[in-house]
Amino acid sequence: MNVLWAALLGYAFGSIPFGLILAKMAGKGDIRQQGSGNIGATNVLRTGSKGLAAATLLLDLAKGFVPVWLAAMWFWQDMGWTALFAVIGHAFPVWLGFKGGKGVATNAGVSFALAWPIGVAYAVVWIGMLAITRISSLAGMSAVVAAAVGAFLLGVPTFAKVLAVIAVLVIWLHRENIKRLMAGAEPKIGGSKTDAGE
């Protein structure tokens, strides 16, 4: 029974579409009709508001961190399910017809909640790759893989398995980005191409 509650807790938090809510509150319209159509911070940034994008990033991090943190207190043996379903909730929110984001920021929050060293590995790779390449999708995919590898190296195989499943999901959600990366057409942060990406 705890598994069900753990999964529902993660999904309930993860499915809150903060990017969409904040953009509408700020008078930016429906973020799904702009840029890539994604509800994440990268697409919110395309509205021209760095503050709005930063707020979206922090809240998407929080909706991954908070449910896993709560699960650690309430049913720690099943917190991996909370982690997984927080990302699933972000990617497939029932409120938006199961069309959400790609889970990068939410998985960062999940990683910090599972074990802070995993979160640090995630953040270092994410920020480092973004600084080097300026390609949001590449940085995000690198970070989710780093989290799974980091968990394995830290000797927490249960978390490593969950993060590996999440990594596969996140990479699958980036399949169009991967095609553009292979074609050399993936947009960069601050670049002129703003009609694609995350």
Side-chain angles (χ1 to χ4, degrees):
M1 189 63 178
N2 280 349
V3 171
L4 177 61
W5 286 115
L8 286 174
L9 176 65
Y11 188 87
F13 274 88
S15 64
I16 303 171
F18 284 118
L20 177 64
I21 293 170
L22 292 177
K24 285 191 174 182
M25 288 177 63
K28 299 293 185 179
D30 190 336
I31 194 67
R32 295 170 297 176
Q33 305 302 319
Q34 304 176 43
S36 66
N38 195 268
I39 62 171
T42 301
N43 199 40
V44 173
L45 183 61
R46 295 188 177 101
T47 66
S49 176
K50 293 181 179 179
L52 203 61
T56 300
L57 176 63
L58 290 174
L59 287 170
D60 281 351
L61 277 161
K63 72 183 188 183
F65 181 91
V66 172
V68 177
W69 176 71
L70 290 173
M73 294 187 293
W74 295 342
F75 21 71
W76 64 270
Q77 290 180 316
D78 297 307
M79 60 193 290
W81 289 101
T82 306
L84 174 60
F85 274 85
V87 179
I88 289 175
H90 177 76
F92 308 105
V94 63
W95 332 110
L96 303 181
F98 301 101
K99 296 179 181 178
K102 297 180 180 178
V104 173
T106 302
N107 195 30
V110 160
S111 297
F112 273 104
L114 289 173
W116 69 263
I118 299 175
V120 170
Y122 194 110
V124 168
V125 172
W126 188 9
I127 295 170
M129 287 296 291
L130 189 60
I132 294 169
T133 67
R134 292 191 298 118
I135 300 176
S136 178
S137 60
L138 183 58
M141 287 187 286
S142 299
V144 297
V145 172
V149 173
F152 177 77
L153 294 177
L154 285 169
V156 279
T158 301
F159 293 165
K161 290 176 183 178
V162 169
L163 290 168
V165 172
I166 293 174
V168 170
L169 171 61
V170 171
I171 290 171
W172 178 79
L173 290 168
H174 281 83
R175 58 196 181 281
E176 294 301 323
N177 301 84
I178 293 172
K179 291 179 183 177
R180 287 192 293 269
L181 282 166
M182 294 177 68
E186 182 72 342
K188 296 184 177 182
I189 296 294
S192 59
K193 296 178 182 179
T194 59
D195 60 340
E198 288 196 78

